[in-house]
Amino acid sequence: RATKKNTQRNTTQQPRSARIVRPMLRRVLSCASRRTAMTRSEAIAAARHFVDDFNESYERVHEAFEVQFWGTKMALASSSEGGGTEYSAELLAKTKKEMEDVLSDPEVLREAEGHREALLGGGDGDGDGDGSEEEKSDPVDPDLIKTLDIIIRTCGCNSLPTETARSVRSQTSEIESSLEMKRNGMKLGYVDPDDADNFVPKSSVGLRNMLRTSRHEKLRRAAYDGLRTIGSFVCDNGFVEIVKMRNVLARELGYEDYYDYTVTKAEGFGKKRLFEILDGLEEGTRPLMEEGRRELVKRFGEDALLPWNQGYMMAGSVVRRMDPYFPFSKSVERYARSYSALGIKYDGAVMTLDLLDRPGKYSNGFCHWTRPSWVRPDGTRVSSHANFTSLADPSAVGSGLTALTTLMHEAGHAAHFACVAQPCPLFSQERAPTSVAYAENQSMFLDSLVGDAAWRARYALNGEGEPIPFDVVEEEIRSTQPF
């Protein structure tokens, strides 16, 4: 009993990533280099054990982190009784580190590379057994090679090969988690322009909506000033230190800065190339921007260029006319009908939707997955568990349209990754090496439908069932297209 207890204690002290690889699998590295001892059947079995252990281990740490991410972002109440869940900045940082430890462990990367080398010996990876007689008689399952490849690619993107890099990443994660919790609890709002002693609580969502729709410039200015306090707040509570430490990490890994590091890992090319693309886009569209600013001044005067006036001058009046045709109460129905008509399915996914703005809730729409979709070796489908948000305030003018657009977008992410049926959970997550462009393509197409005239004629109905009048659609186009 004492021996068993000591063994359990020693096991729990190991990092999760170290427990992925079974001791007998360590033979593969030496076998791959010596090309001796291990038979092909043994090599296939060893690789399968490694992949199975990795998939199950990653799924566990992924879920633990995403549960904390959702709970802290949504400001959910902790409950340690009756099987409840506790949420905290400390647990968020801890679970994030455990997940990153699995993905950044150099031993896991070496093991995956060793298994692939043992199975293919530097071949093309098709697993068709076109080499020796043994390979022809005992071919490798292509899904096994595919899984080793995604493990190698993902762990390579997350590799932290030095102790300095691992230490900096761990310290940065703690500051990030602390800042996120502080930002969630920030007292945000605006000062009443008619009563300097009256502070009006308002979320960033509510303040942005005021900027777009308030008829009164002094209220728009107050909302703008309220939003600006976020910048000084985050800078005073760790953001500057986070930027510094992220850049230290990137340079330790051989990159220009953290942005160069993240772009390279996700997109396959660096910051320099990205800016060449973006510079060309900016230069090509600059005349349109300059003409748009001139048109805005021509229509509304020089003050239209002030930051608290631009959004309202471009669309504020028509937003009020459109509001009756976009009640938030119909948003979920319109999203579901649109997706159904397009044939979009969720393949058995479980989804949690948090659609209303409220104090403490993260003020940006997002979709995350507590459980990625994937297929186990026996063919069992693991359906995704998706959490996504919108930020509606049913009492605010224009909020229904904004919330529906966000809902259509985030639901697109959920549908996209719910339908991934690959042999490893790494295929259905948005971290590197998943391209941002790939991840956003479907969701951005789907949210664009809300602005389409044909979609509006069918779905944008008022309380009496009447479609939005074409003169309102035309007014919005004429109000916004020049800019």
Side-chain angles (χ1 to χ4, degrees):
R1 188 176 303 162
T3 301
K4 182 178 180 181
K5 184 177 180 180
N6 290 336
T7 301
Q8 290 174 336
R9 182 183 300 117
N10 290 336
T11 299
T12 57
Q13 287 173 348
Q14 293 178 321
R16 282 184 185 269
S17 55
R19 300 202 300 275
I20 291 176
V21 184
R22 299 177 182 180
M24 77 97 167
L25 300 183
R26 302 183 192 280
R27 292 177 54 197
V28 158
L29 290 178
S30 58
C31 289
S33 60
R34 298 197 312 269
R35 306 290 177 89
T36 60
M38 184 175 283
T39 67
R40 183 166 180 80
S41 294
E42 289 176 330
I44 292 173
R48 170 55 62 196
H49 281 304
F50 169 79
V51 162
D52 290 348
D53 283 352
F54 178 90
N55 285 344
E56 298 294 340
S57 297
Y58 176 74
E59 186 181 48
R60 285 195 300 272
V61 295
H62 175 103
E63 183 169 359
F65 166 69
E66 290 295 351
V67 166
Q68 286 298 315
F69 184 91
W70 178 252
T72 52
K73 289 292 188 186
M74 296 295 99
L76 301 182
S78 296
S79 174
S80 56
E81 299 178 0
T85 303
E86 181 181 354
Y87 305 107
S88 69
E90 293 75 22
L91 286 172
L92 179 64
K94 176 178 179 292
T95 54
K96 183 179 182 181
K97 181 179 183 301
E98 289 175 347
M99 182 182 68
E100 291 179 342
D101 282 348
V102 170
L103 297 178
S104 64
D105 188 346
E107 184 180 14
V108 174
L109 178 58
R110 285 195 299 270
E111 286 284 346
E113 292 171 336
H115 285 298
R116 193 185 191 285
E117 176 68 17
L119 294 178
L120 297 177
D124 58 13
D126 59 12
D128 59 4
D130 56 358
S132 67
E133 288 301 320
E134 184 182 23
E135 290 174 341
K136 292 177 181 179
S137 63
D138 196 3
V140 181
D141 180 358
D143 279 351
L144 183 57
I145 302 300
K146 182 191 291 187
T147 304
L148 288 171
D149 284 343
I150 191 62
I151 292 172
I152 292 168
R153 181 78 175 92
T154 305
C155 290
C157 287
N158 291 273
S159 177
L160 299 176
T162 69
E163 183 58 39
T164 298
R166 290 189 288 273
S167 175
V168 171
R169 175 67 267 184
S170 178
Q171 294 174 53
T172 307
S173 292
E174 292 178 4
I175 302 174
E176 288 169 347
S177 297
S178 175
L179 175 57
E180 287 171 5
M181 298 299 286
K182 290 176 181 177
R183 170 64 184 88
N184 278 4
M186 177 186 177
K187 183 181 179 182
L188 193 61
Y190 67 95
V191 176
D192 186 340
D194 295 324
D195 182 359
D197 295 325
N198 181 25
F199 179 81
V200 182
K202 205 81 167 175
S203 70
S204 61
V205 178
L207 293 173
R208 289 196 298 268
N209 200 62
M210 285 177 62
L211 278 174
R212 287 193 302 269
T213 63
S214 176
R215 294 189 177 98
H216 307 291
E217 182 177 358
K218 59 184 180 181
L219 281 176
R220 297 196 299 270
R221 174 64 187 269
Y224 173 78
D225 290 339
L227 282 170
R228 290 195 66 192
T229 63
I230 297 173
S232 57
F233 179 88
V234 297
C235 286
D236 291 340
N237 283 277
F239 181 70
V240 175
E241 190 62 26
I242 288 170
V243 172
K244 291 178 180 177
M245 295 183 72
R246 284 176 172 177
N247 286 335
V248 168
L249 171 65
R251 289 166 187 145
E252 173 71 14
L253 298 174
Y255 296 89
E256 181 180 344
D257 53 30
Y258 190 74
Y259 190 63
D260 184 42
Y261 165 68
T262 55
V263 170
T264 302
K265 294 302 185 183
E267 307 301 336
F269 53 83
K271 182 179 79 170
K272 182 176 183 295
R273 175 59 186 141
L274 176 63
F275 283 179
E276 288 172 354
I277 296 170
L278 295 179
D279 286 347
L281 179 64
E282 189 278 324
E283 290 169 6
T285 58
R286 188 183 303 165
L288 296 175
M289 180 272 293
E290 292 172 343
E291 177 58 31
R293 287 172 62 85
R294 287 192 291 269
E295 178 65 22
L296 200 61
V297 171
K298 180 180 176 182
R299 291 187 185 187
F300 304 108
E302 289 288 342
D303 284 355
L305 298 178
L306 294 172
W308 52 87
N309 287 335
Q310 283 191 42
Y312 177 76
M313 295 302 180
M314 287 190 289
S317 60
V318 74
V319 167
R320 288 185 173 275
R321 292 192 66 194
M322 292 167 58
D323 195 56
Y325 301 91
F326 290 94
F328 178 72
S329 60
K330 291 291 185 179
S331 292
V332 173
E333 176 190 331
R334 290 173 181 179
Y335 137 63
R337 288 178 58 209
S338 298
Y339 274 44
S340 177
L342 287 165
I344 296 173
K345 301 184 184 303
Y346 284 89
D347 280 9
V350 176
M351 298 189 293
T352 301
L353 285 63
D354 190 320
L355 304 180
L356 298 176
D357 188 29
R358 64 175 187 276
K361 178 181 174 179
Y362 183 61
S363 57
N364 198 23
F366 69 86
C367 179
H368 273 229
W369 296 262
T370 52
R371 182 177 299 170
S373 170
W374 63 292
V375 181
R376 290 194 169 97
D378 63 2
T380 303
R381 178 66 180 273
V382 180
S383 297
S384 72
H385 286 195
N387 299 326
F388 61 91
T389 77
S390 187
L391 298 155
D393 176 359
S395 66
V397 173
S399 179
L401 173 58
T402 303
L404 174 60
T405 304
T406 302
L407 173 58
M408 292 283 281
H409 181 99
E410 303 304 339
H413 283 303
H416 181 182
F417 284 92
C419 295
V420 174
Q422 295 292 337
C424 177
L426 293 178
F427 285 103
S428 54
Q429 53 87 41
E430 287 192 320
R431 298 176 182 86
T434 301
S435 163
V436 175
Y438 163 77
E440 294 295 334
N441 186 47
Q442 177 165 306
S443 54
M444 294 187 73
F445 163 72
L446 289 166
D447 77 46
S448 72
L449 293 177
V450 181
D452 180 77
W455 183 93
R456 288 180 172 181
R458 173 170 294 186
Y459 295 101
L461 312 178
N462 63 14
E464 285 70 46
E466 300 167 338
I468 187 169
F470 183 76
D471 68 291
V472 176
V473 176
E474 181 182 9
E475 181 182 346
E476 188 201 19
I477 293 172
R478 295 189 182 280
S479 296
T480 59
Q481 193 277 334
F483 313 114

